[in-house]
Amino acid sequence: MDTEGKQLNQPKRPNILVTGTPGTGKTSTCELLSKLSGWRHINLSDAIKQKSLHSGRDEEWDCYVLDENKVCDELEEVMVEGGNIVDFHTCDFFPERWFHLIVVLRSSNDVLFPRLQNRGYKLKKIQENVEAEIMQVVLDEAKESYKKEIVVELQSDSVEQLEANAEKVNNTPT
């Protein structure tokens, strides 16, 4: 994103990022949180496909190759407006100024593996994601990319936990 000569605007209202390894319940949590809060849910994976915010497809991993600059350019205005809940599986490329709360969803391997199988992921992709969850890759990215006091880790293994997480985030001052 070209920021030379531009003043970087701060959001007028808070924004929340819900992140985590694929299969941890980000989209379901964000949908419920959006209903509870009245805030806009931005499913970034869908937007990347629909608005071609990628540089092509990686057939080996069966996914789009993210174009971080296109994503940030596309989201800038809506993020400055605020009142957004962004749903994405990584977090280290967003401008830090966009978010007031980072929620990292975690799942145990015995829950995550079958969730990914049910999505039809190939074994290689399932193993990669389960390993990333074991190594807490997304949590570490969040802690390295944002102030530690705005990063919250929540377990997301059941519908009950999902509902409790959405309630907790909705009641968290931002």
Side-chain angles (χ1 to χ4, degrees):
M1 177 166 49
D2 178 24
T3 57
E4 266 185 57
K6 293 182 186 176
Q7 182 176 1
L8 299 177
N9 294 323
Q10 296 297 315
K12 295 173 184 152
R13 298 186 324 171
N15 294 302
I16 298 170
L17 174 63
V18 178
T19 189
T21 304
T24 55
K26 295 177 299 298
T27 300
S28 298
T29 300
C30 288
E31 287 170 352
L32 180 55
L33 181 56
S34 178
K35 286 179 186 172
L36 292 171
S37 67
W39 289 16
R40 179 187 304 116
H41 171 209
I42 300 173
N43 182 323
L44 198 48
S45 293
D46 287 349
I48 288 166
K49 289 179 234 171
Q50 293 165 356
K51 298 182 179 191
S52 296
L53 305 176
H54 56 82
S55 59
R57 190 145 177 82
D58 183 329
E59 295 305 327
E60 179 184 359
W61 291 103
D62 191 27
C63 65
Y64 289 97
V65 178
L66 175 69
D67 185 321
E68 296 173 357
N69 290 328
K70 284 182 182 179
V71 169
C72 290
D73 288 347
E74 178 69 27
L75 290 179
E76 177 65 22
E77 280 185 41
V78 74
M79 296 306 292
V80 168
E81 182 183 312
N84 300 294
I85 304 163
V86 177
D87 162 2
F88 200 51
H89 62 268
T90 191
C91 62
D92 61 349
F93 69 94
F94 296 113
E96 187 177 353
R97 66 188 164 83
W98 279 0
F99 297 107
H100 300 79
L101 181 64
I102 311 298
V103 177
V104 181
L105 296 179
R106 304 290 310 276
S107 289
S108 60
N109 298 332
D110 59 331
V111 171
L112 185 60
F113 194 96
R115 284 181 182 172
L116 298 176
Q117 278 182 315
N118 291 338
R119 290 182 175 190
Y121 283 15
K122 295 176 184 173
L123 182 58
K124 180 179 179 179
K125 190 170 180 175
I126 293 172
Q127 290 170 331
E128 171 87 2
N129 283 300
V130 169
E131 184 177 311
E133 184 66 4
I134 291 168
M135 301 300 292
Q136 68 183 31
V137 171
V138 180
L139 179 61
D140 289 346
E141 273 182 6
K143 288 179 176 179
E144 291 169 8
S145 301
Y146 301 93
K147 295 175 188 167
K148 286 180 178 55
E149 59 268 16
I150 69 166
V151 177
V152 176
E153 176 185 3
L154 298 173
Q155 196 65 27
S156 182
D157 288 331
S158 66
V159 172
E160 294 78 20
Q161 286 178 331
L162 181 150
E163 291 171 349
N165 290 342
E167 286 284 346
K168 180 176 183 168
V169 173
N170 189 50
N171 294 323
T172 299
T174 50

